[in-house]
Amino acid sequence: MSNFLVRKVAVLGAGVMGAQIAAHCVNAKVPVVLFDLPAKEGPKNGIVQKAIDNLRKLSPAPLAVPELASLIEPANYEDDLARLKECDLVIEAIAERMDWKHDLYAKVASAIGPRAIFATNTSGLSITELSKGMAPGLLPRFCGVHFFNPPRYMHLVELIPTAHTEPAILDHLEAFLTTVLGKGVVRAKDTPNFIGNRVGVFGLLSAMIEAERFGLTYDVVDDLTGAKLGRAKSGTFRTGDVVGLDTLAHVIKTMEDYLPDDPFAAHYGTPPVLAGLIKQGALGQKTGAGFFRKQGKAILRLDPAKGEYVPADGKADDAVARILKNKDAGQRLQALRDSEHPQAQFLWAILRDTFQYIAVHLADIAGTARDVDFAMRWGFGHGVGPFELWQQAGWLLVAQWVQADIAAGKTLSSAPLPAWVTSGPVAERGGVHTPEGSWNPAAGRFEPRSSLPVYARQIFRAPLAGEGIVPLAAGKTVFEDEAIRLWTLDRAGLDDVLIASFKTKMHTISPAVTLGLLRAVDLAEQDYRGLVVWNPGEPFSAGADLQAIVPLFMSGGVQAVAPEEERLQQLMLRLRYAQVPTVAALAGMALGGGCELSVYCARRVAHFETYLGLVEVGVGLIPGGGGLTYLARRAAQERALAPDMPLMAFLKKYAFQAATAQVSKSAVEARRMGYLLDDDPIVFNVHEVLYAAIREAQALHDTGWRAPWKEPFAAAGSEGIAMLSAQLVNMRDGGFISDYDYRLGHAIAEILCGGEIEAGSLVDEQWIMALERKTFMSLLGEPKTQERLMGMMQTGKPIRN
């Protein structure tokens, strides 16, 4: 199977997971056949077709754009088994019943191609038990592939082999999952619930037990264990509601049934409150009620003592919140442990419980500590993995605290920490993660990361505390100041492209960043094959630096801001007309000025989950860095390819995108909105974006890059302004936008149409940019704009006035 390629996928089971796995395959342009039972009435593929149609309605959206649903091919087990021969990968995703899965395997085994990989998406059943009775020819090609829900957004996929699985099968599947579907792959041992659910659900059980011990309500626990603790915003109990309480109970029952000798087994039963909710049919978000219930706009929480829902207004105590803001992990944990506040004691207890649990079970469930940390980061939204946190806080000191609590009977189990925790290499190196690798307790050594060829594309793989990898300290610095670093990689074959990376908060574009980028273009033209703008982590850029613009305006008025505004526009033109290719390497948000910067580059290489948009109306301004100029030019270029169509047919879409601050919900949608072009690559693994961007710059250079001609283009003029304004009036009068939104929209229409000129007049970029500057400057002095600017700076959220 050295030339193995996944050209087509079959998914068996059109339930929630199966349908969404199929959806993500078509997101990645992988043809997919979705199977289920034949319908008893109507068309035989009715069950599957209903599931496909439902994908268009779900939120969060499993599809990049709803129309992709039509690319999923429906099939049923009665008529279409022969179609399995077309598929290189078959993923079973039916209900978590061992007997049902065995029955299905018997039905499909003979139809699966002789080289195809067969995988089960079970969330916790034994892969070895599932493989029993499987034909000898299929057994080596069978494994577990556990996607986390929802498959599009959750980065984690666990790969689980049996003793008979060919190693090459796992390597091929890992490469496909990593590059094509963009996942973070962790290899787990075949133990109940594998790594993510095993550790994550234990953490939830611990939180329920400790919350009851310290008398904390569900809303308080979620506020404590969400963003304040560096985890998913949904916290603990809200996460249970989102996952589904029946699903949660199933995972708990798997631990209860299959881990009777576990030292923590006494706590693996379904908590009574959870069992009671399930009995009532309150299964969480999908039924409208669980630990929480939404009533109108209000959020209510369950009060177990009363058996009814009450307002969910509990929050973390200010004193505990201040402890959690301490950036020093050791000081933070010590303060929680030493505090007498029940909320602090609760937090120390759940962290301590997890530290004990992962140490006791590491050798059983995973190859290395790295697998545990990534499983919790990628599957449960932890900003820092539990082993990482332990190591950051001081390995031996925290181990002593945990041991003291075990000895005092405060923990959920009396199981001692394994000897490797406090003696030998881990103790000597101060933790489980080192530059040489992560600790493998079974082998007694630090093991390096996978060396599969697919990872050569990940210049900076997801970092772990202790490994010492800091992207902005890597490579060779060409220029650096407080706002920007210009540098090159030190890897042969990739060191001839200049990289520009911002050092500002949220990677905003400050005046100093503008100057740095102008310098970057000059340097790239002199000495390099191209320029890539790439920022480690997300967002790509949240736009202009308001913290720099507003004080500048307040102290010097329009005269102080005007030069910076003009310099920003000239930067955009410099990027567009550079004598070397410029490439924006996009991930996360690229809003406002970040979006403008990206569209003026020669190419964009975008991660699939890139969200682009011109959002300046949210702060009472219009796009002033060339964004409207770009849209006006693009509309004219599109019309030139379809001369029988009026210019307004193309311009209208762009006008309302900017006037309503629309942001794409995927890179695919950004392409439809015009912020990405058809030849801009979309990359599914965020860690491959920099590599792909450098290669794109090199390819453009090597094929004879020349900057585009500075050509004039047609403008819609006064007629276009009138047409767009009439539609804005309807939106205002219908209550869809405010009076000030109308004013901003009208200003956008004037600029996009080139001002009060005759329809069809030719203009250039400098003309439209001059209109942008004039309007941008005038709006800065408006009280309502200043209200919006201050609201954004104070709350981080747009306001409407």
Side-chain angles (χ1 to χ4, degrees):
M1 298 182 65
S2 58
N3 296 320
F4 183 82
L5 180 67
V6 177
R7 292 159 294 191
K8 193 167 190 175
V9 172
V11 178
L12 311 181
V16 173
M17 284 300 292
Q20 293 198 49
I21 291 170
H24 196 54
C25 285
V26 295
N27 283 337
K29 295 186 177 180
V30 178
V32 61
V33 187
L34 181 59
F35 281 80
D36 212 302
L37 296 167
K40 294 179 180 178
E41 296 180 359
K44 278 194 172 181
N45 288 332
I47 293 173
V48 176
Q49 193 58 57
K50 182 179 179 181
I52 293 172
D53 293 341
N54 190 51
L55 290 171
R56 304 171 189 264
K57 309 170 189 175
L58 293 178
S59 179
L63 294 160
V65 290
E67 301 90 308
L68 289 177
S70 63
L71 300 180
I72 301 173
E73 303 172 33
N76 67 82
Y77 302 126
E78 190 172 292
D79 298 334
D80 303 311
L81 284 184
R83 300 187 63 187
L84 291 175
K85 296 287 186 187
E86 309 166 9
C87 302
D88 304 293
L89 171 62
V90 179
I91 301 173
E92 171 269 305
I94 67 169
E96 293 287 83
R97 282 273 302 269
M98 187 83 69
D99 54 341
W100 290 1
K101 290 179 186 285
H102 278 148
D103 289 346
L104 180 61
Y105 297 174
K107 181 182 295 184
V108 304
S110 61
I112 295 174
R115 299 179 76 248
I117 296 174
F118 186 29
T120 173
N121 185 58
T122 179
S123 60
L125 296 179
S126 168
I127 310 302
T128 300
E129 289 298 314
L130 286 171
S131 72
K132 286 187 176 177
M134 197 168 280
L138 190 55
L139 191 57
R141 294 181 279 128
F142 181 71
C143 65
V145 55
H146 179 211
F147 288 83
F148 273 60
N149 189 23
R152 169 183 165 181
Y153 300 96
M154 298 305 291
H155 192 55
L156 178 65
V157 173
E158 294 175 316
L159 274 185
I160 313 99
T162 72
H164 302 286
T165 306
E166 288 182 7
I169 291 293
L170 297 176
D171 292 348
H172 293 314
L173 196 47
E174 183 165 349
F176 169 75
L177 292 166
T178 299
T179 286
V180 180
L181 297 189
K183 297 304 174 186
V185 175
V186 164
R187 296 201 186 187
K189 294 185 178 180
D190 188 14
T191 55
N193 292 335
F194 315 128
I195 301 173
N197 280 342
R198 179 75 174 272
V199 176
V201 171
F202 169 79
L204 192 145
L205 288 170
S206 166
M208 295 182 75
I209 294 164
E210 304 291 2
E212 185 174 355
R213 177 184 298 177
F214 292 104
L216 305 184
T217 57
Y218 302 142
D219 47 358
V220 170
V221 168
D222 278 4
D223 193 44
L224 287 167
T225 60
K228 288 183 174 66
L229 197 61
R231 297 181 178 180
K233 292 180 181 179
S234 53
T236 297
F237 294 99
R238 178 63 181 152
T239 295
D241 279 353
V242 171
V243 169
L245 301 190
D246 52 342
T247 302
L248 180 60
H250 170 78
V251 177
I252 294 172
K253 184 132 188 355
T254 300
M255 295 167 77
E256 183 179 16
D257 290 347
Y258 294 102
L259 295 168
D261 299 324
D262 190 292
F264 298 83
H267 303 288
Y268 287 166
T270 303
V273 64
L274 178 58
L277 286 168
I278 294 170
K279 186 176 181 180
Q280 296 168 25
L283 306 181
Q285 183 172 274
K286 58 188 172 186
T287 61
F291 290 111
F292 294 91
R293 190 181 79 195
K294 192 171 183 181
Q295 184 171 298
K297 292 185 178 180
I299 303 295
L300 307 179
R301 66 164 174 86
L302 179 68
D303 183 332
K306 296 179 180 178
E308 59 187 43
Y309 288 89
V310 299
D313 50 12
K315 297 288 184 182
D317 185 87
D318 289 344
V320 178
R322 284 195 296 273
I323 292 174
L324 294 176
K325 287 182 180 179
N326 190 330
K327 294 183 179 180
D328 185 290
Q331 293 176 12
R332 192 166 65 245
L333 263 60
Q334 178 147 19
L336 292 174
R337 184 171 186 266
D338 292 346
S339 173
E340 295 183 1
H341 197 292
Q343 293 182 14
Q345 292 174 351
F346 161 79
L347 286 172
W348 163 248
I350 64 169
L351 293 171
R352 173 208 63 212
D353 292 346
T354 297
F355 294 153
Q356 181 190 18
Y357 193 82
I358 58 176
V360 168
H361 286 300
L362 175 58
D364 303 328
I365 64 175
T368 70
R370 176 174 53 242
D371 300 318
V372 172
D373 278 342
F374 281 150
M376 298 311 296
R377 281 167 51 175
W378 297 341
F380 282 81
H382 291 204
V384 175
F387 276 121
E388 286 183 285
L389 177 60
W390 185 347
Q391 183 162 339
Q392 288 174 335
W395 183 264
L396 287 177
L397 179 61
V398 173
Q400 290 169 11
W401 294 342
V402 175
Q403 287 177 316
D405 281 10
I406 294 171
K410 295 180 179 180
T411 55
L412 300 184
S413 169
S414 60
L417 296 180
W420 60 261
V421 171
T422 54
S423 62
V426 171
E428 293 164 6
R429 299 296 296 275
V432 291
H433 303 306
T434 69
E436 294 78 32
S438 296
W439 183 249
N440 178 336
R445 63 174 179 263
F446 295 102
E447 290 197 352
R449 296 204 188 194
S450 169
S451 59
L452 288 176
V454 66
Y455 293 114
R457 294 172 55 86
Q458 297 188 13
I459 295 171
F460 299 110
R461 295 165 74 169
L464 281 167
E467 285 187 329
I469 299 172
V470 181
L472 280 189
K476 176 185 176 183
T477 298
V478 177
F479 169 82
E480 186 171 14
D481 61 18
E482 77 285 351
I484 198 168
R485 182 186 183 221
L486 310 181
W487 56 292
T488 61
L489 289 170
D490 50 13
R491 185 189 296 189
L494 299 175
D495 55 358
D496 52 6
V497 171
L498 187 65
I499 303 167
S501 299
F502 309 166
K503 296 165 63 178
T504 50
K505 185 178 181 181
M506 298 288 285
H507 301 139
T508 53
I509 303 172
S510 66
V513 168
T514 300
L515 289 172
L517 286 172
L518 286 168
R519 180 191 291 261
V521 178
D522 290 342
L523 290 172
E525 287 180 333
Q526 293 171 20
D527 300 317
Y528 300 95
R529 292 165 73 189
L531 170 66
V532 167
V533 183
W534 173 80
N535 290 316
E538 298 179 8
F540 171 74
S541 174
D545 185 353
L546 299 179
Q547 301 287 349
I549 292 175
V550 172
L552 203 61
F553 174 78
M554 292 301 182
S555 62
V558 171
Q559 298 304 316
V561 178
E564 297 300 337
E565 171 70 3
E566 186 167 6
R567 186 179 291 115
L568 179 63
Q569 291 182 335
Q570 294 311 308
L571 166 65
M572 302 305 172
L573 295 177
R574 192 80 177 86
L575 288 167
R576 174 168 167 76
Y577 296 108
Q579 297 307 302
V580 292
T582 57
V583 180
L586 303 171
M589 297 182 298
L591 304 179
C595 180
E596 290 172 315
L597 188 155
S598 68
V599 299
Y600 274 89
C601 287
R603 286 287 190 279
R604 289 134 296 279
V605 173
H607 179 231
F608 176 70
E609 299 295 351
T610 299
Y611 314 113
L612 294 106
L614 298 172
V615 296
E616 285 83 355
V617 295
V619 290
L621 294 169
I622 53 93
L628 298 180
T629 303
Y630 165 79
L631 293 178
R633 172 172 54 77
R634 180 159 172 75
Q637 291 171 335
E638 290 176 337
R639 193 257 179 177
L641 298 175
D644 295 336
M645 297 286 287
L647 177 58
M648 289 305 298
F650 302 97
L651 199 60
K652 177 182 173 182
K653 175 181 77 171
Y654 296 134
F656 285 93
Q657 281 177 192
T660 58
Q662 291 180 29
V663 177
S664 72
K665 297 180 180 65
S666 69
V668 175
E669 188 177 40
R671 183 174 280 163
R672 296 190 176 189
M673 293 172 70
Y675 298 131
L676 297 182
L677 305 183
D678 289 343
D679 50 5
D680 290 333
I682 295 176
V683 175
F684 271 68
N685 195 302
V686 69
H687 300 296
E688 296 182 6
V689 170
L690 177 57
Y691 175 91
I694 291 172
R695 288 301 194 199
E696 186 73 13
Q698 291 174 329
L700 289 170
H701 178 276
D702 292 348
T703 51
W705 168 255
R706 291 292 182 271
W709 294 108
K710 296 182 179 180
E711 296 179 313
F713 52 89
S718 55
E719 291 182 14
I721 297 171
M723 292 174 65
L724 291 174
S725 295
Q727 295 183 49
L728 287 167
V729 167
N730 292 336
M731 293 175 69
R732 181 195 61 193
D733 294 347
F736 297 104
I737 60 175
S738 69
D739 287 340
Y740 202 61
D741 288 329
Y742 167 79
R743 178 175 174 182
L744 295 169
H746 182 77
I748 287 171
E750 288 184 317
I751 297 165
L752 281 174
C753 295
E756 294 290 347
I757 58 177
E758 185 177 346
S761 298
L762 294 180
V763 298
D764 60 15
E765 289 165 311
Q766 296 284 5
W767 175 271
I768 305 292
M769 282 186 170
L771 295 176
E772 283 186 10
R773 286 198 305 277
K774 180 181 178 181
T775 303
F776 187 91
M777 293 301 121
S778 68
L779 288 171
L780 278 174
E782 292 290 335
K784 287 190 179 292
T785 288
Q786 291 173 13
E787 287 177 16
R788 292 192 181 191
L789 281 167
M790 295 309 296
M792 176 63 77
M793 291 171 64
Q794 291 170 2
T795 68
K797 297 178 181 179
I799 63 171
R800 286 288 183 262
N801 53 8

